[in-house]
Amino acid sequence: MIFNDIIYISLLCISVVLGPVIRNVPNVYYRQFFSTLAGVVIVFIVSGSHIFHSFIVTFINALIIQFLRRKCHIVSAVFSFGYLAFFRSTHYFGLPIPPTHTNAIQMILTLKMVGIAFELQGIHLSDKTKQLKNADLMQKYQKINPSFIDIFHYAFCIAGVLIGPYYKFRTYWDTFHLPYSTHVNANKFLKERIRIVPLYIVLYLIGNFLYPLDFASSPEIMEKSFWYRAFYMTPSFFNFRMRIYSGFILGECVCIAMGLGAYPKFSNPQPGAGPTNFSALEELGTKNLSSVEYSFETVKNIYEYGSEFWPTIREGIRSWNRTVQYWLATFVYKRLELSKPAKICITMLVSAFWHGVHPGYYLCLCSAPLFLFVETEVEKAFKLSAPYSQKVIFDWICKLGSEDEDL
């Protein structure tokens, strides 16, 4: 695992280095071409001949979006998630098993392809949004009309192709056709975000040397005592977090280096969603863009401090994989016309299916609604009247209990 992880991290670092080069290509079409070409090369290095899975998903979705626009979101979701299940069970069909990291590529590609179909569906439902305030501005800053080749560019753009973050097609389009990416001081944001990565990598290497992740799933661990196995979950989960932090942040840095996800801060950009204050963007226009304060919140996928130190389960969840949470909330949860508990359960089930086939995903993610419900009820019954010290102890016990489920 360590060797593969080193190769993977190296490819992410190379992608970060290529980001400013691509961003400074003057012609927008050449810039798109080079970002796509670099993405295809990176995917091929990771996947080899298994890159054909990514090509198939992109090609079929491009056809669906071009010829079935009214129902493309439903057809795309069924096909993309169905193909993801097939991708993970190729050995049952006599096909070779894809490399481990190719799974991450297919996961983010699935979100992109289904997401772009839902973005288009949002436009077709525009007659329902006309009654909303600023509906015209919403249309202006959210409208998309991707061509067949645009979908390929979006799918294989080097930013996010390996590990995310997820971003909408409109965010991708804005990077090349709006002036923000060329006016933002991306290097400043890049230095601020990437400087913590070496620490996470070193901690992961040390932790994995002392307590290898592979040992946790090996038969040898069953020869150890129950208490040792219970203890082993703690360093294993620490190693897992350091590994994820390193990858997620480098994924963000690739986007930052390209200027992807840069929006004026006063437009209130949100992870995955992009700007939400369209009136502010309209008022800004194209004046004094170099002096505007920018934000890359759109592509900020992980908030490590919240994940590590915010004590409640709810706060911890909101800090983790934030752009994917946006996708789940927008394209699954809010689309369901069911009771709130049913919507939460279905959303968590979709999340578990997207993560993989292992039972642990379903145990962890499908138990999250129960954890949140219990946390809310106990807060009502206990926390409001308990002393501060007892509240802190309670919060951390709940948080540690939920992290044990993650393993």
Side-chain angles (χ1 to χ4, degrees), residues 1 9 31 73 78 111 144 165 186 203 207 231 268 283 298 328:
M1 179 180 288
I9 291 294
R31 204 184 316 156
H73 59 304
V78 172
L111 298 188
I144 63 170
L203 289 174
F231 157 77
N268 192 29
E283 292 174 7
T298 299
L328 289 166

Side-chain angles (χ1 to χ4, degrees), residues 309-324:
F309 298 110
W310 282 352
T312 65
I313 300 170
R314 183 174 288 100
E315 291 170 325
I317 289 175
R318 288 174 179 170
S319 303
W320 186 269
N321 218 352
R322 300 162 83 207
T323 60
V324 172

Side-chain angles (χ1 to χ4, degrees), residues 90 97 203 205 251 348 350 386 394:
T90 52
I97 299 175
L203 289 174
L205 293 174
M348 290 297 108
V350 171
F394 166 78

Side-chain angles (χ1 to χ4, degrees), residues 102-359:
T102 305
N103 181 58
I105 294 172
Q106 288 298 120
M107 288 172 69
I108 198 68
L109 181 62
T110 298
L111 298 188
K112 281 184 172 182
M113 294 297 98
V114 178
I116 192 174
F118 271 101
E119 284 186 73
L120 279 168
Q121 178 66 8
I123 295 169
H124 291 309
L125 295 176
S126 60
D127 57 325
K128 296 182 180 180
T129 66
K130 288 180 180 178
Q131 300 175 359
L132 299 176
K133 185 179 180 180
N134 296 329
D136 291 339
L137 290 179
M138 290 175 63
Q139 281 289 92
K140 178 178 179 179
Y141 289 103
Q142 292 187 329
K143 183 178 180 180
I144 63 170
N145 186 29
S147 66
F148 196 90
I149 193 65
D150 283 337
I151 296 170
F152 270 86
H153 282 312
Y154 174 56
F156 290 98
C157 176
I158 190 173
V161 74
L162 282 179
I163 196 172
Y166 166 78
Y167 50 85
K168 299 192 302 184
F169 177 84
R170 179 61 200 231
T171 300
Y172 169 82
W173 189 92
D174 287 348
T175 302
F176 295 96
H177 296 91
L178 293 184
Y180 307 134
S181 63
T182 56
H183 285 82
V184 65
N185 185 357
N187 290 335
K188 182 190 75 169
F189 287 94
L190 180 61
K191 291 176 183 177
E192 291 175 356
R193 192 60 177 134
I194 204 171
R195 61 188 178 188
I196 193 67
V197 173
L199 174 62
Y200 292 148
I201 293 176
V202 169
L203 289 174
Y204 166 64
L205 293 174
I206 294 173
N208 199 68
F209 175 77
L210 297 174
Y211 301 97
L213 281 170
D214 291 339
F215 183 71
S217 57
S218 67
E220 288 79 10
I221 197 171
M222 299 307 297
E223 299 174 3
K224 302 292 184 179
S225 68
F226 167 79
W227 292 111
Y228 182 83
R229 297 199 303 270
F231 157 77
Y232 208 88
M233 289 190 293
T234 299
S236 292
F237 192 59
F238 173 82
N239 296 342
F240 169 78
R241 295 199 309 278
M242 296 305 107
R243 183 172 178 243
I244 292 296
Y245 291 164
S246 302
F248 276 1
I249 295 174
L250 284 174
E252 293 175 26
C253 288
V254 181
C255 296
I256 294 171
M258 270 190 61
L260 192 150
Y263 290 102
K265 190 172 183 179
F266 54 72
S267 68
N268 192 29
Q270 296 297 313
T276 57
N277 187 344
F278 304 118
S279 298
L281 287 180
E282 188 70 9
E283 292 174 7
L284 173 65
T286 58
K287 300 177 181 178
N288 302 320
L289 290 178
S290 297
S291 60
V292 169
E293 185 178 3
Y294 287 93
S295 168
F296 280 95
E297 190 70 14
T298 299
V299 293
K300 189 168 184 180
N301 201 27
I302 190 77
Y303 182 45
E304 312 96 85
Y305 180 87
S307 177
E308 293 291 327
F309 298 110
W310 282 352
T312 65
I313 300 170
R314 183 174 288 100
E315 291 170 325
I317 289 175
R318 288 174 179 170
S319 303
W320 186 269
N321 218 352
R322 300 162 83 207
T323 60
V324 172
Q325 288 197 52
Y326 162 79
W327 189 96
L328 289 166
T330 303
F331 302 134
V332 181
Y333 181 85
K334 293 179 181 178
R335 295 274 175 165
L336 297 172
E337 297 181 359
L338 300 169
S339 64
K340 185 175 180 179
K343 290 165 68 173
I344 293 175
C345 290
I346 292 174
T347 302
M348 290 297 108
L349 185 62
V350 171
S351 178
F353 185 88
W354 176 74
H355 275 86
V357 297
H358 296 293

